Amino acid sequence: MNAAAPQFIEAASPHVMNTYGRVPIALSHGQGCRVWDVNGKCYLDALGGIAVNTLGHNHPKLVPALQDQIAKLIHTSNYYHVPNQEVLAKKLVELSGLTNVFFCSTGLEANEAALKLARKFGHDKGIERPEIVVYEKAFHGRSIATLSATGNPKVQAGFGPLVEGFVRVPINNIDALKQATDGNPNVVAVFFEAIQGEGGVNPMHMDYLREVRQLCDERDWLLMIDEVQCGMGRTGKWFAHQWAGIKPDVMPLAKGLGSGVPVGAVVAGPKAAGIFGPGNHGTTFGGNPLSMRAGVETIRIMEEDGLLANAATVGAHLVANLRRALEVELANGQVREIRGQGLMIGIDLAKPCAALVQRAADVGLLISVTADSVVRLVPPLILTKAEADEIVALLCPLISTLLKETA
């Protein structure tokens, strides 16, 4: 790093709207699973842009492809055909076993489109006020509709009235789902994350996924699985629900699909793929040539480099070593659980731990904390076992120290 690199001093800009509780770091560049701030300090990136930077930073295969695309076309609008939309859609159909794709730019947009699909599905069946089953602790976005589907009162506070038409149930409880919907003819869909991200890295059980799939078939509901954070190879399969051997009717995607370039998608099966017609939904930026190239190249590189297997193998190695390093804290209940799959891992502590974000940054590690007491690790899928060991070596002493502190 050049000795004359600019110093980042202010914790916040006076001109940027104050919507984030930021760590006072300004990042300059990255390589692989490491990033550097403008002062030259290096960090191991165990957050991956919040499960976005699938291929890490400055990937030698991705960067030239994006440079090539930028020199050709960045944006044209959906008045015209975008050839790589068909290439990427065909690939997502192949990987998911579904049939059609709508492209947008973010996970929020993908989830919003899923909610619209469910409502139109109901209206097409003659249901005047369709209702959608959603879950406690869920997070689907911050628009008014996706915020209403979200199960977090803190992020909903101050934005009422919320959108109606949602039935909320606890996760992994098929009896609760049945009791909440029995005798209700307005229910049209069940909508959930295969692994809740912002809610604390809470996985849906495999048996529960299969039971919900069966119930949706019996009651003619859409099964809509939000794979925005847990999809795109993060768990060791392309999509987290595939561990249960099921297929959804609607699957929103985003985050890791473009390795940092904003890409969102809604992948639909036969029951939902024909619901939208021209004029029912749209987007200005979605499916633009740059984002489509990013999606195509991301999947190609993931396949070439065996990143699904790497996520599964390195993730299991990381979890095993975390459990070993935190053995005492797990035994005495100070660490309640280490859960997740592949490279989507949550360390659930028995006390709030937001302070760990800054403490980790101080020792050169980027993490996040969700649900007040869960350390979330969602590093790039190129993470090595050596880098996983480094995460453990940096993070676990910080956790142990925090847990020894009195409230």
Side-chain angles (χ1 to χ4, degrees):
M1 191 72 179
N2 192 311
Q7 297 289 308
F8 180 70
I9 299 171
E10 293 188 64
S13 166
H15 305 300
V16 176
M17 197 174 287
N18 185 25
T19 54
Y20 303 103
R22 288 188 165 118
V23 180
I25 295 169
L27 298 175
S28 164
H29 63 286
Q31 184 65 51
C33 288
R34 299 185 191 276
V35 290
W36 285 261
D37 68 20
V38 295
N39 300 319
K41 182 175 179 176
C42 180
Y43 305 83
L44 179 58
D45 186 3
L47 183 59
I50 317 178
V52 168
N53 295 316
T54 301
L55 303 177
H57 306 277
N58 195 30
H59 194 284
K61 296 180 183 178
L62 180 66
V63 170
L66 296 183
Q67 290 171 329
D68 173 73
Q69 186 60 52
I70 288 170
K72 292 176 178 175
L73 279 173
I74 295 174
H75 178 81
T76 59
S77 95
N78 284 300
Y79 280 136
Y80 317 106
H81 289 282
V82 179
N84 267 336
Q85 281 191 18
E86 181 56 35
V87 175
L88 183 55
K90 183 178 180 182
K91 192 64 183 179
L92 290 172
V93 163
E94 172 192 318
L95 298 176
S96 66
L98 303 180
T99 60
N100 294 84
V101 186
F102 167 81
F103 289 110
C104 51
S105 299
T106 67
L108 179 154
E109 291 175 74
N111 286 334
E112 188 89 14
L115 297 176
K116 286 182 67 175
L117 273 173
R119 284 196 169 190
K120 193 166 190 304
F121 173 72
H123 280 282
D124 290 349
K125 294 202 298 179
I127 298 172
E128 187 176 340
R129 302 178 73 83
E131 297 182 27
I132 300 166
V133 176
V134 291
Y135 285 75
E136 296 173 359
K137 299 184 180 180
F139 184 88
H140 297 294
R142 295 180 186 271
S143 67
I144 293 297
T146 56
L147 187 68
S148 301
T150 288
N152 185 335
K154 287 184 179 180
V155 300
Q156 292 173 333
F159 298 105
L162 298 178
V163 174
E164 62 178 18
F166 295 104
V167 177
R168 196 169 305 281
V169 299
I171 70 169
N172 295 321
N173 187 332
I174 195 67
D175 291 334
L177 173 57
K178 291 178 179 177
Q179 289 168 12
T181 57
D182 280 347
N184 185 346
N186 294 327
V187 174
V188 295
V190 180
F191 185 37
F192 58 80
E193 302 150 273
I195 303 175
Q196 292 181 336
E198 302 301 321
V201 192
N202 303 309
M204 295 288 184
H205 298 161
M206 297 300 105
D207 287 345
Y208 182 75
L209 291 175
R210 289 186 279 266
E211 289 170 334
V212 178
R213 174 70 273 179
Q214 182 179 346
L215 189 65
C216 287
D217 291 338
E218 292 172 356
R219 299 190 179 183
D220 193 29
W221 298 340
L222 294 178
L223 176 59
M224 308 199 305
I225 302 183
D226 177 348
E227 291 268 359
V228 167
Q229 188 166 151
C230 57
M232 294 312 301
R234 183 146 295 278
T235 67
K237 288 188 181 290
W238 284 106
F239 312 110
H241 68 265
Q242 290 178 327
W243 290 99
I246 64 165
K247 294 179 186 178
D249 300 303
V250 179
M251 179 177 65
L253 298 173
K255 287 194 181 286
L257 180 54
S259 296
V261 176
V263 189
V266 179
V267 190
K271 195 170 182 177
I275 293 173
F276 282 162
N280 288 148
H281 198 57
T283 167
T284 296
F285 290 101
N288 67 72
L290 178 60
S291 67
M292 294 298 92
R293 183 72 180 271
V296 168
E297 298 293 343
T298 293
I299 292 175
R300 178 183 66 81
I301 294 165
M302 290 177 71
E303 290 183 323
E304 287 180 358
D305 294 358
L307 293 189
L308 270 67
N310 190 70
T313 301
V314 176
H317 176 83
L318 177 53
V319 167
N321 285 357
L322 286 168
R323 286 180 175 149
R324 190 174 299 113
L326 296 170
E327 183 178 10
V328 172
E329 291 82 359
L330 280 162
N332 64 25
Q334 289 181 297
V335 173
R336 291 187 287 218
E337 189 178 11
I338 299 173
R339 57 180 177 259
Q341 193 158 13
L343 286 173
M344 184 173 182
I345 298 165
I347 307 167
D348 189 355
L349 308 189
K351 64 186 291 185
C353 60
L356 286 174
V357 175
Q358 181 63 61
R359 295 184 190 185
D362 290 342
V363 300
L365 179 66
L366 302 184
I367 62 168
S368 75
V369 167
T370 68
D372 296 326
S373 61
V374 180
V375 177
R376 173 175 51 177
L377 303 175
V378 280
L381 302 192
I382 61 170
L383 191 79
T384 65
K385 287 184 177 180
E387 288 165 336
D389 292 343
E390 192 175 343
I391 291 172
V392 173
L394 291 170
L395 178 61
C396 291
L398 299 178
I399 291 175
S400 297
T401 298
L402 179 81
L403 291 171
K404 290 173 185 175
E405 295 171 359
T406 56

